[in-house]
Amino acid sequence: SSKAEFEFHRAAPSAGYKKGLPASARTDVGTGDIAPEAHGRDFFPYRPVHLRAEPPMATLARLTNVVQRALASGRYTTEPRQALKAVVLEAGGQATPLELALNDVVVHKGGVARVIRLEVEVQGESVGPYSADGIIVATPTGSTAYSLSAGGPIVSLSVPCIVVTPIAAHMVFDRSLVLASGPRVRLEVIGEEPGLLSVDGRASLEL
């Protein structure tokens, strides 16, 4: 529950990008992400694959066969995506880097029905404290995920930027910020209420 700071910056795909496995599939009943292999790496491959509506395990098995055949024959394409690199700065100065985020990094409240207070800085300049349920820092890919449901804009995948969206802000200014991907964004928990940090919706880290 101690105070912590977070820095976010753009992470470019590495030379190993083209060796990644396809991470998404399109089905007859919608689109779903299947990307457990991508988490923790510095690349996020993507290739739509058409599948029939089947039970989950049958769909996964069929997708595996499709992927293996595509990789063996070289019939696939890669598309670079912007990612976020988060670093947790403890009060004692210790820096802990986290996994890359394809969609977003979120600092949000816990189970108690109270807002948290967060100081937001862009390249060392304060853009004001926020009282909200949390703050979402999203990539263009993630602009159609949690950020969109919180009222954020949809950003073209070709635009190199970072979207900062407050969640249910208890203030007059509650609009998203669309920033260039170069400057660092820093979030600091400044209130007594602790927050939680999650990367791409995975397990939260209590602050």
Side-chain angles (χ1 to χ4, degrees), residues 108-119:
H108 55 96
K109 69 177 185 179
V112 181
R114 299 177 184 174
V115 298
I116 58 175
R117 287 181 55 80
L118 295 165
E119 178 68 32

Side-chain angles (χ1 to χ4, degrees), residues 16-21 44-47 76-81:
Y17 171 82
K18 293 187 177 181
K19 298 180 182 179
L21 293 176
F44 298 91
Y46 171 87
R47 180 179 184 269
Y76 66 93
T77 59
T78 58
E79 180 180 307
R81 296 291 180 92

Side-chain angles (χ1 to χ4, degrees), residues 75-143:
R75 292 182 292 104
Y76 66 93
T77 59
T78 58
E79 180 180 307
R81 296 291 180 92
Q82 180 176 321
L84 292 173
K85 180 65 176 179
V87 179
V88 178
L89 302 178
E90 302 291 350
Q94 180 181 358
T96 304
L98 304 178
E99 296 179 356
L100 289 179
L102 174 62
N103 291 305
D104 50 46
V105 179
V106 183
V107 179
H108 55 96
K109 69 177 185 179
V112 181
R114 299 177 184 174
V115 298
I116 58 175
R117 287 181 55 80
L118 295 165
E119 178 68 32
V120 180
E121 294 183 0
V122 179
Q123 204 66 10
E125 296 291 333
S126 174
V127 296
Y130 282 78
S131 293
D133 284 356
I135 296 287
I136 304 167
V137 181
T139 64
T141 302
S143 69

Side-chain angles (χ1 to χ4, degrees), residues 5-185:
E5 296 180 346
F6 307 88
E7 293 185 352
F8 304 89
H9 63 86
R10 185 182 182 189
S14 72
Y17 171 82
K18 293 187 177 181
K19 298 180 182 179
L21 293 176
S24 295
R26 183 174 301 279
T27 70
D28 292 334
V29 293
T31 300
D33 291 332
I34 304 176
E37 300 89 351
H39 294 316
R41 301 183 181 180
D42 56 353
F43 57 88
F44 298 91
Y46 171 87
R47 180 179 184 269
V49 179
H50 184 71
L51 300 174
R52 298 189 302 269
E54 299 172 326
M57 292 308 297
T59 298
L60 182 58
R62 185 164 180 263
L63 174 61
T64 301
N65 292 333
V66 170
V67 169
Q68 289 175 344
R69 291 198 302 270
L71 291 177
S73 62
R75 292 182 292 104
Y76 66 93
T77 59
T78 58
E79 180 180 307
R81 296 291 180 92
Q82 180 176 321
L84 292 173
K85 180 65 176 179
V87 179
V88 178
L89 302 178
E90 302 291 350
Q94 180 181 358
T96 304
L98 304 178
E99 296 179 356
L100 289 179
L102 174 62
N103 291 305
D104 50 46
V105 179
V106 183
V107 179
H108 55 96
K109 69 177 185 179
V112 181
R114 299 177 184 174
V115 298
I116 58 175
R117 287 181 55 80
L118 295 165
E119 178 68 32
V120 180
E121 294 183 0
V122 179
Q123 204 66 10
E125 296 291 333
S126 174
V127 296
Y130 282 78
S131 293
D133 284 356
I135 296 287
I136 304 167
V137 181
T139 64
T141 302
S143 69
T144 57
Y146 194 4
S147 177
L148 178 63
S149 68
I154 297 176
V155 179
S156 171
L157 297 176
S158 62
V159 177
C161 69
I162 295 174
V163 181
V164 180
T165 302
I167 307 170
H170 186 65
M171 52 196 301
V172 176
F173 179 76
D174 61 352
R175 297 294 184 264
S176 296
L177 303 175
V178 180
L179 310 171
S181 60
R184 290 190 175 187
V185 177

